[in-house]
Amino acid sequence: MIEIEHLTRRYGSTVVVDDVSLRVEEGAIAVVVGTSGAGKSTLLRMINRLVEPSAGRVLIDGQDTRTVPEDELRHRIGYVIQGYGLFPHRTVAENIATVPRLLGWGSKRIAARVNELLDLFQLDPAEFARKFPHQLSGGQQQRVGVARALAARPALLLMDEPFGALDAVIRAKAQEDLLAIQRRLGTTIVLVTHDMNEAFQLGDRIAVMDQARLLQYATPTELLTRPAEDFVERLVGTVERPFRLLSLTGVQAALEPGGAEGEPIALSDNLQNALSQLVWSGRESLPVADPNGVIVGRISVGGILAHGRPPA
Amino acid sequence: MRPLRSGLPLDPLGSVIAILIGVALLAAPFVTYRANRIVSGEGRMLAEALPVLVAAAVFAVAFGAGLAAALIRNPLARLAAALVGLAAIFPAVGLSAVFLTPSGNSFARISPSVGFWLLTLSFALLAADSLTRLRLGPWARLAALATAFGAVALLLLSGAWDGLSILKEYATRSDSFWREARQHLFLALGSLAAACLVGLPLGMLCHRVRALRAGILQALNVIQTIPSIALFGLLMVPLGTLAAASPLAAGLGIRGIGAAPALLALFLYSLLPIVANTVLGLNQVPAVVVDAARGMGLSARQRLVQIEIPLSLPIILAGIRIVLVQNLGLATVAALIGGGGFGTFVFQGIGQSAIDLVLLGAIPTVALSFAAAIILDAATELAKGSA
Amino acid sequence: MSAFSILTRGLALFMLAVFIFAPQLFAFAFEPLTANNAPAIYNQGSLLSLTLSHLRIVVGATLASTVVAVALGIFVTRPAGLDFLPLSRSLVNVGQTFPPIAVLAIAVPLVGFGEKPTFIALFLYGLLPIFENTLSGLTQVSPLTLEAAKGMGMSPRQRLFQIELPLALPVILTGIRLSVIISLGTATIGSTVAAKGLGEVIIAGLQSNNVAFILQGGLVVALLAVLIHDGLSVAERAVARRLGRPADETT
């Protein structure tokens, strides 16, 4: 768990981060969004002390980060930046081994860990371990960047626009992969982005920043249904709002008893996708199937729409 | 972020300069006195080298400039301090020569010594640092250069330095000085002009015909690697043979020794930077720009003249700068094979162990290269601005 | 490298070695150039010992320049030395307008004739390209790479030795190569101030009007320089490849 308490950073008379407090639970993903210059990156960089706070403090599992030597602190926190900053003169394996080597792990343990991570990120060790960064595609570089950050099993991962350099198709896949890996490892993640879709897709909670201040820190649903300020409302997008809300709600919520004609919808899917299928098939309702293919009920356009607006 | 400083806010570079000035003032002789041209000299400290009041004034000015360097961060103020310092010591060294030379003695030699050179170095460093931090534009830099040369010319013409040893060397050979100066410029600029005439078209050819590029650049690279004396020597042989075999060539002044092999060698050395930078310059012209020009119906010739050459001009000029500075320096070596130039004085000076004679050849060479570098840097920047 | 270029290099090296060890074998080739029964092959000292002292002074001076220039380059790019960075850049610029001969000539009255002034000139002039390249090598390391290194908890020392210097190494090596080539040439001129070296052969030829001396001296010096330049370029490319960079085209 990390607790950010009244964190402030000033450069001369300019305040870049203004009295921000928030808490990220163990194993959760917190996404910080905002326009460029809002202070998101500075907030992130104060967590691993790449930027020293002017005031306030950060606690990681109850321990004040100022009591830990800087480098030691950073060994324990994974860090991924836009463009990744892979070391061009080191192979993929050497890049991933960076922090374990700094920590003095034995070479066998390092080799085993590198292979484990390469497998986890679907990079065949036999093919990729000895390659240099310039020989990788953008998506592969991104995966190596994340693998490198996870090498020493940090409990916390900081990510600054980690998907910013990827094109749309690869980005969606990379986001899914990250979610899967995060669920598996239980790593706590703080991620900075300016992409609202990314925030809604990844965030357990979303922190909205503007002009150095934290405007709202809440779950995605809350952000949509109870925006704290006009700015938040505009940022989440009044046009996309209902669809984002539907995408956050599972099919289960609008499940009705009975049956219907047509291609069944998976129970694990979300309401946005269900609506999309309904519109496309031109039907009022479609059957819903559980993971075993058993029809458990149906879903209708009217039932879905009721979930696309804030509860009265 | 600057770390917090405690106590006096000392500027690190300024402090080093201040220490240099302190050493120069307190621990090093200001001028050297020699009974005649050849004997070894003895140092004279600032206090002995000038009338008491003048010495005190120079000391005060230099000391003040040192303090300013250490304490003041404003580059304009530092520049002013450096210039005041130079304005104090330059005339002072000339005055010292008059002061120390016994009247009616034409053998005694006074030359600037370690202290003077250290002070000059300190003030020059301070001025250079301030000018760098001021980020002057190209015209301002040219004006500064002109001012500096004007000031030195004024000192020379006023006769303020006539008592100094180096100017006595000049006085006894003023005719040959200007002859060698012309020869030096002829060698450096003539070879540059020839290299431009050949190198620019060759560069364009290399740009067009990829197959030629690697071979030509590699050959020029090999030439560039050969030490100057060796290349001069290697060229003497075929030129000598040519002169012996053909009276016509000999009539044109082509001989084994002298200016011909030097000029040819400098020309060959010049080719690599010019050809390589022409290729580089043309290569970095964005393909879309050339494509757009083609799309608007510009002919190959029009594209070259109106688009490609103007856009690659800064890089080509950078090549010419390299060549000019390099040639002005290398032309000194030409004297070894009878090619003349300022090197004549340098090698004569080495032969006679007369440092003033060496300096008579070396200082103008350095001044020329320095001026050439500044002028062409400014031209490159102007070309960049207009391209 | 093609078989042809390996062959030419090997042949050039072989010829050079034979000539240095047994120059008399080539006397027949130089005889037509002599007049008045002058010797065809340099006879005032062995070519081998001249070559060795030539190389010794170049290697010694280059090592000294490398140590000093790299240390200075590191210093002015650390936080403590940043105040010196702008000036050191302009100094390098100005320094390169000094012809090496001027440095050599000015050193003579200060330290006397012989190897000393040559060593000083070689050392001082050799500093410039190495310092300049160390600077550009260190400053062109991507800020992203350094940010990542810092974010992973590398200390300033670890960043310097594990990231910055390895990444700057190819550029620094290029500087050393330039420095060696300039030094080989300046050492040749050093013979005018009585430093032992291959320039002696050419100077002797100039003084006694013996074209054969000039030609053989010129050939040996030229071949030596070209081969050394070539060897260093190959080494540079090998290092660049080991450091995971596609081999740069030589310029």
Side-chain angles (χ1 to χ4, degrees), chain C residues 89-162:
Chain C
R89 276 188 200 282
S90 16
L91 275 189
V92 169
N93 254 330
V94 174
Q96 274 160 348
T97 63
F98 276 67
I101 307 95
V103 183
L104 188 69
I106 293 169
V108 172
L110 301 178
V111 297
F113 283 91
E115 303 219 331
K116 271 194 215 154
T118 313
F119 187 88
I120 290 177
L122 258 59
F123 166 72
L124 285 179
Y125 211 78
L127 286 175
L128 299 175
I130 304 177
F131 178 71
E132 187 178 26
N133 280 38
T134 305
L135 268 192
S136 68
L138 287 175
T139 47
Q140 81 189 20
V141 173
S142 146
L144 213 61
T145 307
L146 289 177
E147 161 92 1
K150 204 173 168 194
M152 282 190 286
M154 284 190 172
S155 66
R157 216 189 143 76
Q158 288 167 331
R159 267 177 274 153
L160 175 65
F161 285 104
Q162 296 183 26

Side-chain angles (χ1 to χ4, degrees), chain B residues 11-12 74 80 98 201 219 252 274:
Chain B
D11 177 80
N74 179 327
V98 179
L252 286 171
I274 290 184

